[in-house]
Amino acid sequence: MLTPIGRNVVNRGLPLVCAMGIALCAPSSQGHIVPPEDLHPTAESFRRIEFFLNLNPVPWNLVAEDVDLLETQLTLIAPTAATRFRSAVGGDMDLIDPEKAETPMDSGASREAARRVFRESTMAVAATLLAYLDSAEHQLKDTRTASSGVETARRVWASFEHEIRYSDPIAFRKLGEAWLELSSALLMSVKAKDEANPGAKVAFEEAATSIRDYVNGNFGPGFEMSESGRLRALPRGSDTFQADAAIPVKLPPGHNMNKQLPRPRQLLNMAERGIDEKDTILIALGDMAFDSPYIFGEPARSLQISCNTCHNKSITNPGFIIPGLSVRAGGVDVSSSFFAPFANNGHFDPLDIPDLRGIRFTAPYGRNGRFDSLLEFVRNVIVNEFNGAEPDPTLLDGLIAYILEFDFLANPYLENTGQLNEEASEAAHRGERIFHQPFDGFGGNSCAGCHVPSANFLDHRRHDIGTVKGSGPFSRDRALDTPTLLGIRYTAPYFHDGSQTTLEGVNLWFNDRFSLGLSEAELKDLTAYVETVGDGIEAYEDTLHTLEAEMEEFSFFLSAYEYLRQSGKSELIEITFSTIALEIHAHKWDVQDSAYLPVLNLMAELMEEASNEQIAGRTKAVDAIVAEYRQLHDEYADRLK
């Protein structure tokens, strides 16, 4: 089992027993896919409420749904407390109900309502937790019932656990021991096999009292919040509370940032021409930047969000969703207060994540075509959407150089003119004629008038088709840029807001909205045409295992090192090393032979070490580490897959 590891790993001092342990514990495949948290409904609702109430504007409709769920869960164990909770938040919920509110809330009123609802929700969670704990303590003779109560209370405790872990680590450890003591005491009762075990009862009561006192003292009646800043359930009443602690932002339950598998096949123009990315230094640098969260600011950086998170291998990530920032999967509001508060535009306007294939042909940029320059658009994404620092010009040039290589899928059914060839189906050919047909509902224009076949199925213009709600009855702020139809078969959902899940649904919408008068058969033909235009050869990779390709890509990242060193780009070197280390840790669990996990761990450690040496200015040490990493990669390249 240890033979494949090789001398390099052993020489670096990795204990063999550790190597074996890592190998045995590794998941079998796709370990970098993060499963959703298994939370109690109370913890789920509370964590969402906390996230929602910190947004501007607050999605009050979503808050109301989770307030109802909190009340429902509290009613199951403490009906009187549930009634009090509903009474306390009822007035604020009425304020946001359009049928009950006399006037809409302004921002100041919304902030005050958010504070009140958060305070009451925090106390409701505390009441739920304590009620289950009390119930367990009162039924110690029935160990099965008591165990169920403890387990439920423990799961509700997850509502507060994240904040306590970082802001009160001393108490966090003690309370962790108390929860373990509760379980141990119940186990003692089971082993005793009699009516009661005095020692177990005392141990249980002492542990329960420490938890109860902490929860009551910090989150019960009298719960304290800061006068300003982010709403958090912080244990301000604890003697060991650290007011200046840095607490990482957590996304709400229900979010998904996993990339799709099988993975989209990426086409880089220079690679299709047989050029090695290692020979295209600027493109390699841009490839690294596209995968790096370190070009962004907080919270995207800590959440490890990169360009590739949303645009996986340049295509849309259809599963990406953040409750409160997304209406549905495949879209997100990046102009909200969450990612870059200073750039918040003040209203909820989530957009479908666009496909970036062929982006050099698709100007203007942004769904409303607000940028003619790709460089300006990318810089805006980094600085004003994801709160990043002003990017180094070399990094920005590299990112643009890389993105400009994204190619459309090759389509075997299209001529260079954009017309269908004889390989296309008869239905698609009938649909093509409909696509070019003038319609009165379009003012005498055709579908092809905007999606010009000879110009990659777009016209580089903006049009108001009626999908955007404007700022007023006669406002002119509804226009969106024309999207290409190339590759569209693989980029669902559709429209700027992702409101249509199928291309057939898109055609039905246009038929109804503009009274085109197409029959059911004609709509099927038109859909067949659009699907054929939007088709492509080998849209997805033929394997679920991505590690081999990823490791090769990391070597591309590293190929820019000598150029960056010569150019004095120390910060970009650090970003490169840190990104490679992060990516190896994310993808290493995909290795098919877990005996090579220690090799991957070592390679990640080398990049972390190189970053530290670079920060310290020890260039010769960095050179040596880079050489060792490259040697290790070459030695194991055919086995890290």
Side-chain angles (χ1 to χ4, degrees):
M1 193 67 176
L2 295 173
T3 303
I5 302 303
R7 56 180 175 78
N8 286 323
V9 178
V10 176
N11 290 343
R12 293 291 294 191
L14 185 69
L16 297 186
V17 66
C18 178
M20 178 179 273
I22 292 172
L24 292 174
C25 294
S28 58
S29 64
Q30 285 83 57
H32 58 280
I33 299 298
V34 180
E37 292 181 272
D38 180 20
L39 295 172
H40 187 272
T42 293
E44 280 195 358
S45 292
F46 181 71
R47 292 255 299 270
R48 281 194 297 263
I49 287 172
E50 178 187 354
F51 187 83
F52 297 155
L53 291 177
N54 280 291
L55 297 177
N56 179 20
V58 173
W60 281 106
N61 59 318
L62 300 181
V63 174
E65 291 175 7
D66 275 304
V67 163
D68 288 345
L69 290 173
L70 272 190
E71 181 190 6
T72 299
Q73 290 298 317
L74 184 54
T75 300
L76 295 176
I77 188 70
T80 302
T83 301
R84 195 208 71 79
F85 171 58
R86 172 53 63 182
S87 175
V89 299
D92 289 309
M93 293 296 100
D94 288 347
L95 284 174
I96 57 91
D97 188 332
E99 296 181 1
K100 298 179 181 178
E102 296 182 4
T103 57
M105 282 193 293
D106 60 28
S107 59
S110 180
R111 283 193 294 272
E112 285 304 310
R115 288 178 59 81
R116 289 192 295 269
V117 171
F118 182 70
R119 183 174 185 273
E120 295 297 334
S121 297
T122 302
M123 292 190 293
V125 172
T128 304
L129 188 160
L130 294 176
Y132 278 109
L133 192 58
D134 290 345
S135 175
E137 189 167 3
H138 292 152
Q139 301 187 58
L140 282 178
K141 293 180 181 179
D142 183 349
T143 53
R144 179 175 295 182
T145 301
S147 295
S148 176
V150 168
E151 171 62 18
T152 304
R154 178 67 183 81
R155 295 185 69 205
V156 175
W157 167 253
S159 305
F160 306 133
E161 207 165 17
H162 178 71
E163 283 73 17
I164 297 171
R165 179 192 301 271
Y166 291 96
S167 67
D168 197 0
I170 294 175
F172 180 78
R173 287 191 295 272
K174 291 181 179 178
L175 291 165
E177 293 170 359
W179 285 108
L180 288 174
E181 187 63 36
L182 291 180
S183 299
S184 297
L186 289 172
L187 188 60
M188 287 169 59
S189 295
V190 171
K191 289 182 177 180
K193 295 182 180 180
D194 56 17
E195 185 174 308
N197 183 312
K201 184 174 185 296
V202 170
F204 188 99
E205 290 175 348
E206 288 179 352
T209 297
S210 63
I211 294 170
R212 186 181 297 108
D213 289 348
Y214 190 89
V215 172
N216 255 327
N218 290 285
F219 310 116
F223 167 60
E224 298 178 14
M225 294 189 298
S226 63
E227 293 300 319
S228 60
R230 184 176 178 83
L231 298 175
R232 287 186 186 275
L234 295 176
R236 298 181 183 278
S238 171
D239 293 337
T240 52
F241 171 65
Q242 300 176 8
D244 58 349
I247 304 173
V249 172
K250 281 183 74 73
L251 292 177
H255 77 275
N256 178 23
M257 297 195 298
N258 290 321
K259 305 178 188 74
Q260 63 266 51
L261 285 175
R263 194 165 64 173
R265 188 168 68 91
Q266 184 179 38
L267 277 75
L268 299 178
N269 188 265
M270 53 78 168
E272 293 302 298
R273 295 173 183 273
I275 298 170
D276 189 335
E277 189 173 327
K278 291 179 182 178
D279 297 328
T280 57
I281 300 303
L282 198 60
I283 293 172
L285 177 63
D287 190 354
M288 180 280 298
F290 196 80
D291 278 13
S292 179
Y294 301 117
I295 69 171
F296 296 145
E298 295 298 343
R301 179 182 297 220
S302 292
L303 294 170
Q304 298 180 12
I305 292 175
S306 68
C307 303
N308 195 49
T309 304
C310 296
H311 308 280
N312 187 18
K313 293 300 174 185
S314 77
I315 198 174
T316 302
N317 181 353
F320 185 95
I321 187 171
I322 300 177
L325 299 181
S326 308
V327 171
R328 56 185 63 85
V332 64
D333 182 3
V334 292
S335 58
S336 72
S337 62
F338 178 67
F339 288 114
F342 73 95
N344 177 32
N345 66 6
H347 62 102
F348 182 54
D349 54 347
L351 297 174
D352 180 43
I353 298 169
D355 181 13
L356 302 185
R357 283 174 171 158
I359 195 170
R360 64 185 180 278
F361 301 114
T362 62
Y365 303 106
R367 288 295 192 183
N368 57 6
R370 61 194 183 279
F371 290 99
D372 291 319
S373 161
L374 182 58
L375 187 144
E376 288 181 301
F377 175 71
V378 171
R379 184 245 170 219
N380 182 72
V381 169
I382 294 172
V383 176
N384 294 325
E385 290 185 359
F386 290 101
N387 203 28
E390 197 66 44
D392 183 290
T394 302
L395 182 138
L396 192 55
D397 287 344
L399 198 50
I400 298 300
Y402 175 64
I403 291 172
L404 288 175
E405 293 296 316
F406 296 168
D407 260 359
F408 293 119
L409 288 173
N411 190 324
Y413 306 110
L414 290 178
E415 302 288 354
N416 291 340
T417 60
Q419 304 299 308
L420 293 183
N421 61 28
E422 60 184 15
E423 297 296 322
S425 68
E426 291 183 9
H429 277 286
R430 291 194 301 268
E432 184 175 37
R433 290 190 288 273
I434 297 171
F435 192 77
H436 286 269
Q437 175 183 328
F439 290 101
D440 291 340
F442 285 157
N445 294 314
S446 67
C447 305
C450 295
H451 299 282
V452 183
S454 62
N456 291 317
F457 292 87
L458 39 77
D459 63 354
H460 303 285
R461 296 180 179 178
R462 296 89 159 168
H463 304 277
D464 176 7
I465 63 170
T467 58
V468 176
K469 182 180 180 181
S471 60
F474 304 105
S475 62
R476 303 289 297 174
D477 60 345
R478 301 175 175 89
L480 301 171
D481 74 310
T482 304
T484 181
L485 301 184
L486 295 175
I488 199 170
R489 187 168 187 170
Y490 307 102
T491 61
Y494 305 107
F495 283 171
H496 78 284
D497 57 357
S499 56
Q500 295 296 327
T501 58
T502 65
L503 291 171
E504 181 182 21
V506 171
N507 289 334
L508 283 168
W509 185 91
F510 274 104
N511 193 43
D512 293 341
R513 176 73 171 77
F514 294 97
S515 302
L516 303 183
L518 295 175
S519 67
E520 183 176 344
E522 288 172 321
L523 283 169
K524 288 184 180 298
D525 289 341
L526 182 59
T527 299
Y529 170 71
V530 176
E531 288 179 344
T532 303
V533 168
D535 207 347
I537 298 173
E538 297 178 10
Y540 296 95
E541 296 178 355
D542 60 1
T543 178
L544 295 178
H545 295 287
T546 62
L547 181 63
E548 184 176 17
E550 291 291 342
M551 295 305 296
E552 182 181 29
E553 189 173 24
F554 304 156
S555 69
F556 294 157
F557 295 177
L558 199 56
S559 67
Y561 167 65
E562 282 77 13
Y563 166 74
L564 295 174
R565 178 185 171 186
Q566 183 180 7
S567 303
K569 299 290 185 181
S570 180
E571 184 179 358
L572 298 189
I573 294 173
E574 293 166 29
I575 289 175
T576 300
F577 294 154
S578 297
T579 300
I580 294 173
L582 181 69
E583 287 287 278
I584 292 175
H585 283 308
H587 290 275
K588 66 184 181 183
W589 301 112
D590 190 33
V591 67
Q592 296 175 60
D593 186 345
S594 58
Y596 294 103
L597 261 176
V599 178
L600 292 163
N601 284 328
L602 174 57
M603 295 179 81
E605 290 167 8
L606 285 172
M607 288 293 94
E608 291 162 353
E609 184 180 346
S611 179
N612 292 332
E613 295 291 349
Q614 179 66 33
I615 292 171
R618 291 188 280 267
T619 305
K620 289 184 178 180
V622 176
D623 288 344
I625 295 169
V626 169
E628 185 175 356
Y629 177 95
R630 286 171 171 164
Q631 180 184 354
L632 205 58
H633 175 268
D634 292 344
E635 184 175 348
Y636 289 99
D638 61 341
R639 285 162 283 179
L640 300 179
K641 58 177 66 176

